[in-house]
Amino acid sequence: MTSTIQASKAARAGAIAFWLIVWEIASLLIGEELFLPSPLAVAARLIVCIGDGVFWTSILFTLSRILIGFILSLLASAAAAVLSYRFRLFSILADPLVRIIRATPVASIVILVLVWVRSRNLSVVISFLMVFPIIYTNILEGLRNTDRDLLEAAAVYRMTAMRKARYIYFPSLMPFIESAVSISLGLAWKSGIAAEVIGLPSGSIGERVYEAKIYLSTPDLFAWTVVIIVLAFIFEHVFLRFVKLIAGRAAS
Amino acid sequence: MKAFIDEKRFGEKVIFRNAVFDIPRNCRTAILGPSGCGKTTLMRMLSGLDHDYAGHIDGLPELPVVLFQEDRLSERISVMSNMMAVSPDRRKAERILADLSLGGEGRSPVHELSGGMKRRVAIARILMLDYDWLFLDEPFRGLDDDSKRRAAALIGESAEGKPLVLITHDRDDLPLLGVSSVIELG
C-alpha cells in the first residue's frame, strides 16, 4: 500500500518535472521572455515577489474575500437546498434562478455586480454566485437520494429532527458535499480572480495580474499564476480536510 | 388488535380480500407463510406503517417498534452512532451491544461489518426503544444458532408483558420467542 502511494507520488513528480523541462525547452526555442519566460526566470521573479510586503497583502486581500464568499455561499446554498427539499414551491421558484446563475458568463455577472457593489467586495459576490448553484444542486441531490427505508425507520424509532439530520441526512450527504466543495473551490478561485482582473479592486491579486499584463511583464504574470495555482491547491486541500474532519466527528 | 381487511392490493395483484386477523395482546403471535404470501404487508398494516387498504383495524398500536426485514442502518456512521440515533443512553447501548457480542464494535463503521453483525446491530437498536407493540420481520436472518439464541433471549426480556408479532417462514423461530399464537398465510 505504502509503496503504491510512493510510486504514485514519484510518478506525479516525474510528470511535473517532464512538463517543466518541456517549458524550459520551449522557452529556449522561442528565446523571448515577453512571449514565454523560462521556469527559472519565473522562479526568480517569484522569489523577488515573496520578499515584497505587497505580495502578502495582495494574497490576504484576495484570499479573505474569496473565502468569505465561499463560506457564505456554502451556508446559503445548503439552507436553500434544505428549503427546496422541504417545500416544493421553494424548489420550483429557485430552479430558474439557479439555472440562470449557472449559465451566465462570469464576465457578464462581474460587470453587472460592479454596478451594485464596490469593486473591493466584488470577489466576495462573484465567488458566492459561482459556488451557489454547484453546492445547492449537489446538496439537493444528496437530500433527494437519502435512503427512504432509513427515513421510514427513523420515523418508526421516533428520531428527533436533530438526530435525523445528524445521523441520517448528514452522513448520506457527505459524498455530495465533498464532491461539491472540491469542484466549487477551484471555481471560486478562478472566478474570484477573473472578477478582480475586470473590476481591479485596489490591492488585490487581480490588480497585480492586470498590472503584469499592461506593463508586459510576462514573468510577473507567470509568477502570479503560479501563486494562484498553489493557493487554490492549498485552499482546496485544507478545506476538504476540514470537511472530512467534520464528517469523521459526526460518524464516530 | 383485530384487522378487518376488505381488500389490499398492489396494482392488479390482490394480496388480501375479505380477511380478518385477530392478534391477541396477551401472548406472542407469529405470522407464518412462504415468501411473497403477504406477511410483511400484513405486518406493515398492523403496525400502522401502511394505510393504503380498504378496511379497518381496531386497536392499532400507539407506540409500535418494528425490526424491519432489512437492517436499515446508517452505513457511513459507527455502530454506537446508530444506537445514539434512537436514544442518548450510552450506557444502555454499551450493555446491549456487549450482550450481543458487539462490545468491541462501538466505533466500527457499519459498512465494515459482516451481514450477521449488522443484523445484531439492528436488533440492538430496537432494544434501546420503548414500545407498546413489537413487530419483528425475519429477525434472525443471517444469524448463527448461538447469536440467534442470545438475540431471542434479549428480545424476550425486553418484550416481557408486551405484545409481540413475529413474521417468519421458519417454524424453528417460534419456540425461541415463546410464540403461542400462529397465523398461517398462503
Side-chain angles (χ1 to χ4, degrees), chain A residues 97-120:
Chain A
L97 198 63
V98 170
R99 281 174 192 271
I100 288 169
I101 298 171
R102 191 163 38 199
T104 309
V106 181
S108 305
I109 297 182
V110 170
I111 291 161
L112 191 62
V113 169
L114 273 173
V115 178
W116 299 328
V117 300
R118 292 164 61 200
S119 66
R120 285 184 67 78

Side-chain angles (χ1 to χ4, degrees), chain A residues 119-192:
Chain A
S119 66
R120 285 184 67 78
N121 297 321
L122 181 64
S123 45
V124 176
V125 180
I126 294 303
S127 61
F128 179 96
L129 288 174
M130 292 298 107
V131 164
F132 189 94
I134 298 170
I135 298 186
Y136 169 84
T137 311
N138 270 271
I139 292 185
L140 186 55
E141 183 74 8
L143 287 169
R144 286 176 175 161
N145 274 293
T146 306
D147 189 340
R148 299 275 138 203
D149 282 352
L150 213 50
L151 291 174
E152 186 186 51
V156 172
Y157 301 154
R158 301 178 288 281
M159 279 189 207
T160 61
M162 281 301 290
R163 286 178 188 277
K164 253 197 287 193
R166 179 175 173 187
Y167 295 111
I168 295 182
Y169 283 113
F170 191 65
S172 151
L173 281 178
M174 271 324 292
F176 292 90
I177 294 175
E178 276 181 31
S179 156
V181 166
S182 174
I183 298 165
S184 55
L185 276 170
L187 192 69
W189 269 99
K190 283 179 199 165
S191 56

